[in-house]
């Protein structure tokens, strides 16, 4: 088996947030349902001076040292939030991350499955030997669009970027090469017909497609790993989380496929094998392409009694749709990396500015106008001087202006 996987991981949640209990109160919703069924608490928001490029760069820049940069030969940005119908987000990010000119870059779109597809593409490139010893950088970045308000989908949005350095030194997590189940079928459940417009056509169809993809991809996985039919095969389980609560239904289905039935048994297994993976998704919200990697990071940081070599079953799903079931093993330095990066992420989450519902709505309206071609100039007075107070001296990349669609960025 090839020894390929995730060497490093880093998460950037941006700098604003919305309390979802406050949103429920403003919408006349049920806060208990939000917290106990959807399992959401807060979600990240993105100021106007950040976009897919800045999130991507800010997630990876502190993770990479000069040696890492020199060794990267493939750079993939997985996203549903591309800024241009031709120019790839990865070209901008390549520039501001100061990666080698000999690095192949491209943007990958396949709904939320793009992150898993990017990981598998990097794995294949490295295992081919044609990488000449080079490493791959995969950044998963997405920002929710301004969907119809006053609906349940409003609670399942979010933003963030998750950067992965993939190599033959899988200190964080090892890919189990050759164990992967795929299921693809066309369904129109969620689409973005325009860059600033996201539509959930049929929520029930989307949930059915998600579960159908899990069942079919897991059955294909079991053909390559017959032992997976036993519930003891996986030490932990991760599911794509458009909202964390869906993982309860997904885990119940998986246990049934493994011959395990019963409400109490399912609840106990969920608490032990899945719940730790939801810690950060509950605070950041939907991260689309990066969903499974944010859950992976949460699991490594928060799961009690996690050990090197533990097997993690992972389900990736992208609307439209493509589903994949695969597995990773906990790496030799996973706990050390998780502790270091977890402290950094906790600090970023603690520093976020919490917006009230009115400010959140104003921000999303302004972002929609910006995405529809309205020119933009950085307003240092907006959000009570938040850019100057929070970003200055941080070294982060910000969007300074848009002039006739031409974007200008700078480090602050």
């Amino acid at each position: 088996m090839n020894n390929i996987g995730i060497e490093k991981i880093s998460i950037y949640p941006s700098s604003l947030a919305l309390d979802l209990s406050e949103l429920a109160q403003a919408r006349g919703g049920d806060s208990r349902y939000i917290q106990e069924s959807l399992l959401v608490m807060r979600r990240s928001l993105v100021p106007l001076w950040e976009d897919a490029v800045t999130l991507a760069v800010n997630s990876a820049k502190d993770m990479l040292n000069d040696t890492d940069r020199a060794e990267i030969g493939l750079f993939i940005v997985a996203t549903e939030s591309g800024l241009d119908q031709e120019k790839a987000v990865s070209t901008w990010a390549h520039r501001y991350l100061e990666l080698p000119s000999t690095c192949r870059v491209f943007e990958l779109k396949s709904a939320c499955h793009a992150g898993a597809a990017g990981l598998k593409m990097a794995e294949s490139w490295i295992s081919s030997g044609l990488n000449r010893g080079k490493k791959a950088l995969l950044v998963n970045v997405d920002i929710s669009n301004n969907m119809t308000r006053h609906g349940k989908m409003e609670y399942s949005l979010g933003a963030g970027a998750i950067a992965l350095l993939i190599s033959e030194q899988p200190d964080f997590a090892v890919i189990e090469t050759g164990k992967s189940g795929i299921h693809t079928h066309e369904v129109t459940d969620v689409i973005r017909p325009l860059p600033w417009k996201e539509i959930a056509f049929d929520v029930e169809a989307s949930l059915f497609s998600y579960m159908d993809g899990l069942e079919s991809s897991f059955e294909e996985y079991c053909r390559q790993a017959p032992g997976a039919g036993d519930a003891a095969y996986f030490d932990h389980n991760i599911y794509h989380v458009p909202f964390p609560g869906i993982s309860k239904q997904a885990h119940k289905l998986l246990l049934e496929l493994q011959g395990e039935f019963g409400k109490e048994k399912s609840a106990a297994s969920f608490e032990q094998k899945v719940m730790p993976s939801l810690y950060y998704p509950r605070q950041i919200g939907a991260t689309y392409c990066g969903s499974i990697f944010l859950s992976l990071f949460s699991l490594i940081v928060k799961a009690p009694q996690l050990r090197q070599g533990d097997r993690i079953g992972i389900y990736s799903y992208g609307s439209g749709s493509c589903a994949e079931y695969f597995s990773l093993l906990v790496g030799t330095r996973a706990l050390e990396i998780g502790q270091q990066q977890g402290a950094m992420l906790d600090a970023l989450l603690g520093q976020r500015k919490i917006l009230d519902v009115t400010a959140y709505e104003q921000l999303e309206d302004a972002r929609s106008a910006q995405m529809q071609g309205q020119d933009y100039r950085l307003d240092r007075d907006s959000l009570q001087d938040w850019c100057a107070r929070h970003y200055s001296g941080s070294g982060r990349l910000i969007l300074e202006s848009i002039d006739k669609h031409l974007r200008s960025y700078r480090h602050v």
Side-chain angles (χ1 to χ4, degrees):
M1 180 184 292
N2 293 321
N3 201 37
I4 298 168
I6 302 168
E7 180 180 342
K8 294 183 178 182
I9 185 169
S10 180
I11 295 112
Y12 179 65
S14 197
S15 67
L16 304 176
L18 175 67
D19 188 293
L20 295 173
S21 292
E22 184 177 336
L23 178 65
Q25 184 176 2
R27 299 289 188 252
D30 184 348
S31 294
R32 184 175 178 181
Y33 170 79
I34 299 304
Q35 294 176 4
E36 297 181 6
S37 295
L38 297 183
L39 292 179
V40 293
M41 298 170 61
R42 287 180 174 175
R43 68 175 176 93
S44 283
L45 303 173
V46 178
L48 294 181
W49 55 84
E50 291 226 61
D51 60 14
V53 172
T54 69
L55 294 182
V57 172
N58 292 334
S59 71
K61 70 179 186 66
D62 291 336
M63 178 183 77
L64 303 174
N65 56 41
D66 290 342
T67 300
D68 293 329
R69 291 186 179 88
E71 292 179 340
I72 292 171
L74 175 65
F75 178 31
I76 304 170
V77 172
T79 185
E80 298 180 28
S81 307
L83 302 174
D84 188 284
Q85 297 303 298
E86 180 179 17
K87 183 178 175 68
V89 167
S90 51
T91 57
W92 274 300
H94 173 275
R95 171 185 174 182
Y96 289 104
L97 287 172
E98 299 180 340
L99 300 181
S101 61
T102 52
C103 179
R104 185 190 301 277
V105 304
F106 57 90
E107 180 181 311
L108 182 61
K109 181 179 77 67
S110 185
C112 297
H113 179 62
L119 178 70
K120 289 297 184 176
M121 191 170 295
E123 177 200 4
S124 296
W125 176 71
I126 293 171
S127 65
S128 72
L130 299 176
N131 64 317
R132 302 186 303 280
K134 297 287 187 178
K135 301 177 181 182
L137 176 63
L138 168 64
V139 175
N140 309 272
V141 55
D142 273 302
I143 303 170
S144 292
N145 284 341
N146 193 22
M147 300 174 70
T148 303
R149 292 173 185 163
H150 300 275
K152 290 182 180 179
M153 291 297 292
E154 191 175 14
Y155 300 100
S156 61
L157 307 181
I162 298 94
L164 310 172
L165 185 64
I166 302 161
S167 74
E168 294 176 288
Q169 299 170 255
D171 294 339
F172 189 73
V174 183
I175 300 169
E176 287 208 281
T177 301
K179 295 182 180 181
S180 173
I182 299 287
H183 176 72
T184 300
H185 71 283
E186 190 280 325
V187 62
T188 303
D189 50 353
V190 179
I191 66 168
R192 290 194 184 194
L194 297 167
W196 56 87
K197 193 168 187 177
E198 184 176 353
I199 302 173
F201 272 105
D202 190 330
V203 174
E204 288 189 7
S206 187
L207 291 173
F208 178 81
S209 179
Y210 178 106
M211 296 302 171
D212 185 50
L214 171 58
E215 182 174 355
S216 298
S217 63
F218 181 68
E219 288 176 351
E220 178 64 21
Y221 179 93
C222 288
R223 293 187 183 97
Q224 300 164 52
D230 188 326
Y233 186 78
F234 300 108
D235 298 293
H236 313 277
N237 298 92
I238 286 171
Y239 303 91
H240 170 56
V241 283
F243 59 93
I246 197 173
S247 55
K248 282 187 176 180
Q249 301 171 54
H251 192 59
K252 179 177 180 292
L253 173 59
L254 184 79
L255 289 177
E256 290 172 354
L257 295 172
Q258 293 175 317
E260 294 284 328
F261 299 90
K263 186 176 181 180
E264 290 184 5
K265 194 173 286 188
S266 176
S269 178
F270 176 82
E271 194 67 28
Q272 177 188 350
K273 292 188 173 185
V274 184
M275 193 63 185
S277 72
L278 304 180
Y279 181 81
Y280 288 116
R282 296 186 72 190
Q283 300 184 61
I284 295 174
T287 48
Y288 296 75
C289 297
S291 164
I292 55 173
F293 303 119
L294 182 60
S295 293
L296 172 65
F297 182 79
S298 295
L299 181 74
I300 298 295
V301 174
K302 296 297 178 180
Q305 301 177 339
L306 188 85
R307 301 180 303 273
Q308 176 189 338
D310 278 2
R311 177 176 284 117
I312 306 169
I314 301 178
Y315 174 58
S316 168
Y317 174 80
S319 296
S321 67
C322 185
E324 181 170 6
Y325 202 94
F326 64 102
S327 53
L328 300 174
L329 303 177
V330 175
T332 56
R333 296 184 55 237
L335 297 178
E336 176 189 345
I337 293 169
Q339 185 177 28
Q340 293 171 352
Q341 293 295 323
M344 294 174 65
L345 179 56
D346 288 340
L348 290 173
L349 293 174
Q351 293 164 7
R352 288 184 302 180
K353 181 180 180 65
I354 310 300
L355 300 189
D356 61 29
V357 175
T358 299
Y360 145 70
E361 292 177 338
Q362 291 172 345
L363 173 65
E364 294 305 305
D365 288 344
R367 177 172 296 283
S368 180
Q370 184 189 81
M371 293 177 70
Q372 293 179 59
Q374 181 175 297
D375 285 351
Y376 162 79
R377 293 289 182 278
L378 176 62
D379 180 1
R380 291 173 174 80
D381 296 327
S382 66
L383 297 174
Q384 299 175 322
D385 301 323
W386 184 242
C387 185
R389 291 192 292 114
H390 184 71
Y391 284 74
S392 293
S394 67
R396 292 182 190 141
L397 187 71
I398 65 168
L399 174 65
E400 192 163 43
S401 65
I402 304 175
D403 186 5
K404 295 182 174 62
H405 302 287
L406 180 63
R407 291 172 178 257
S408 297
Y409 298 94
R410 69 179 175 91
H411 289 285
V412 292

